[in-house]
Amino acid sequence: MTDRYAVIGHPVAHSKSPEIHASFAAQTGQDIDYQRLLAPLDGFNQTVADFIAAGGRGANVTLPFKLEAFALATRLSARAQAAGAVNTLKFDGDAIFGDNTDGVGLVADIVRNAGVALAGRRILLLGAGGAARGVILPLLQQAPGELVLANRTAARAAALAQEFAAAGPIAASDFADLAGPFDIVINATAASLSAELPPVAPGVFGRAAFAYDLMYGKEPTVFMRFAAQHGAAVRDGLGMLVEQAAESFLLWRGVRPATAAVLAQLRLQLQTQ
Ligand code: ATR
């Protein structure tokens, strides 16, 4: 019988996960069925239970259910625990394993796809919400020289830095007091959603800096344009989307698919839509 997977969200119609996983399955010769599941806002747990009863083996979880997925899991990976959120579920009998592949997906896109090493580098992470929290542990696991968090509400960045202090060299700073330059600047704020720029000074971008926005779209984000104007090489989050999917696929199927062709195809679609 074909193993069933799904992406669960609300809304979910826009999700590119079904086509990404269909490409991975074709490439690796795995027989899987991957669908979109729209869960009612008050019905995430029931949707998961129904899907398991119908033979579901695993699921990706997207907005706004990543915290509910975290609460529902009977076992959590260390990186899901650190993220406080789950984007990947694996079902095994009564057990529900919760993982979070967003952070390793970001790291894979920066290190492997963009060819930018993180070890020993000064990294600035903008934001202190769920997206930022989700990538801190995988970034620290790359042994950066320093990871500095900056957030509009400074106290949230300070609290996060304190929480992860044992995991590596992490500090918090006000936007106004940021002591640049940095080698790598990652925008994990929601500012790009409303075409706004986080209040960073141009001086944060070091010589040959690399700037990454977790968001993606047809056009470069405001942050990417600003970074490029100040000499940085820029990249959006489309590769992170593909890499987090590859990590989920690995968890479910035991094989990590190649991602370059899938990413190129998505980029083409995005630019021609
Ligand atoms: P997410 O899950 O996307 O991280 P979130 O938890 O609501 O969403 O967090 C949004 C993040 O984007 C926060 O760090 C927020 O800053 P505050 O903590 O000060 O609210 C940040 N953010 C949103 N809009 C922003 C803007 N226009 N400029 C700078 N930061 C912004």
Side-chain angles (χ1 to χ4, degrees):
M1 218 178 86
T2 303
D3 287 340
R4 296 187 62 193
Y5 297 88
V7 54
I8 305 175
H10 186 123
V12 78
H14 67 284
S15 173
K16 300 182 194 304
S17 293
E19 58 177 297
I20 296 173
H21 283 281
S23 298
F24 289 166
Q27 177 207 127
T28 56
Q30 301 270 317
D31 181 23
I32 70 163
D33 174 71
Y34 190 113
Q35 301 290 334
R36 291 181 183 85
L37 271 183
L38 178 70
L41 286 175
D42 61 351
F44 175 73
N45 287 7
Q46 190 59 49
T47 301
V48 172
D50 293 346
F51 186 55
I52 293 173
R57 301 293 304 275
N60 284 126
V61 180
T62 186
L63 295 178
F65 298 125
K66 290 184 182 185
L67 298 182
E68 285 178 66
F70 179 86
L72 184 65
T74 56
R75 204 160 60 84
L76 290 164
S77 67
R79 60 198 186 193
Q81 217 134 28
V86 157
N87 78 334
T88 308
L89 294 170
K90 186 178 177 186
F91 311 127
D92 191 8
D94 286 341
I96 299 179
F97 179 65
D99 197 358
N100 192 313
T101 63
D102 287 330
V104 280
L106 170 69
V107 167
D109 193 43
I110 294 177
V111 175
R112 289 195 214 185
N113 299 344
V116 173
L118 298 174
R121 315 294 290 280
R122 279 200 92 206
I123 305 177
L124 172 61
L125 179 63
L126 308 175
R133 170 187 288 272
V135 302
I136 291 175
L137 187 64
L139 286 173
L140 287 175
Q141 285 170 340
Q142 294 295 305
E146 188 179 26
L147 177 63
V148 176
L149 310 183
N151 194 49
R152 191 174 54 184
T153 311
R156 288 182 86 189
L160 264 188
Q162 197 167 21
E163 192 179 325
F164 284 90
I170 188 167
S173 167
D174 288 349
F175 274 113
D177 299 334
L178 272 174
F182 292 88
D183 302 308
I184 294 151
V185 183
I186 301 171
N187 184 18
T189 71
S192 299
L193 283 176
S194 44
E196 288 174 305
L197 187 66
V200 276
V204 301
F205 302 106
R207 251 189 75 243
F210 175 76
Y212 195 101
D213 199 323
L214 265 56
M215 305 283 167
Y216 63 85
K218 186 171 180 174
E219 305 294 339
T221 65
V222 188
F223 170 75
M224 288 165 68
R225 280 197 217 114
F226 178 74
Q229 272 163 18
H230 296 97
V234 297
R235 189 171 176 90
D236 73 6
L238 194 64
M240 176 181 173
L241 173 74
V242 176
E243 295 299 334
Q244 63 78 30
E247 291 289 334
S248 297
F249 194 90
L250 170 63
L251 176 75
W252 295 327
R253 310 302 299 181
V255 48
R256 196 182 198 282
T259 52
V262 180
L263 177 53
Q265 178 64 30
L266 281 183
R267 180 70 66 195
L268 195 67
Q269 271 179 25
L270 199 61
Q271 275 162 359
T272 52
Q273 75 186 194

